[in-house]
């Protein structure tokens, strides 16, 4: 059974950077489809970035050009490099894994993923 554990969150000032990590365990081969989501208090969960292992990536418009998703298959770890952070990026960030094929157009939809981590808090102050 896939287990996901996020780390790397924290508090930064606007314009700063953070790198989130998601350690994948319980499997010998990392999932083919993984993603990062976030949820701010009082708001719906939002897909931030998603990737297909060894293939394409997709980003929410709100983070394009600032965030980069990547995967280290040798260490079974998913990353999210976040640069030029803004106060509106403040949220709990979660990584997620999908059990099977996820169409490109649906990769930022939380309904496609059935395995979730506990989350790591990111707070950006102005």
């Amino acid at each position: 059974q896939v287990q996901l554990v996020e780390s790397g969150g924290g508090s930064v000032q606007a314009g700063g950077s953070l790198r989130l990590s998601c350690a994948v365990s319980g499997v010998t081969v990392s999932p083919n489809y993984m993603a990062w989501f976030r949820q701010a208090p009082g708001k719906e969960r939002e897909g931030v970035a998603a990737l297909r292992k060894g293939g394409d990536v997709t980003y929410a418009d709100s983070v394009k050009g600032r965030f980069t998703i990547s995967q280290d298959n040798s260490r079974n770890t998913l990353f999210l490099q976040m640069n030029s952070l803004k106060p509106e990026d403040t949220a709990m960030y979660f990584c997620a894994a999908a059990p099977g094929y996820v169409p490109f157009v649906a990769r930022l939809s939380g309904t496609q993923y059935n395995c979730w981590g506990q989350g790591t808090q990111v707070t950006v102050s102005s």
Side-chain angles (χ1 to χ4, degrees), residues 34-97:
M34 297 195 69
W36 287 97
F37 290 80
R38 66 186 181 187
Q39 188 166 21
K43 295 188 176 181
E44 293 188 355
R45 182 178 59 195
E46 173 190 21
V48 175
L51 65 72
R52 176 175 62 87
K53 186 167 63 176
D56 40 38
V57 298
T58 186
Y59 297 95
D61 288 343
S62 58
V63 305
K64 279 180 182 177
R66 302 188 298 122
F67 290 12
T68 303
I69 187 172
S70 62
Q71 190 174 35
D72 183 337
N73 293 322
S74 65
R75 292 191 290 157
N76 270 1
T77 305
L78 182 73
F79 300 102
L80 184 68
Q81 178 67 44
M82 305 186 296
N83 299 327
S84 302
L85 283 161
K86 304 176 181 180
E88 51 263 44
D89 294 319
T90 295
M92 185 72 78
Y93 283 71
F94 303 88
C95 68

Side-chain angles (χ1 to χ4, degrees), residues 11-35:
S11 297
V12 296
Q13 290 190 328
S17 298
L18 284 173
R19 190 192 197 202
L20 306 184
S21 298
C22 174
V24 181
S25 62
V27 291
T28 54
V29 178
S30 58
N32 287 331
Y33 297 90
M34 297 195 69

Side-chain angles (χ1 to χ4, degrees), residues 92-112:
M92 185 72 78
Y93 283 71
F94 303 88
C95 68
Y101 173 69
V102 180
F104 183 82
V105 295
R107 288 181 192 166
L108 294 181
S109 171
T111 59
Q112 299 292 320

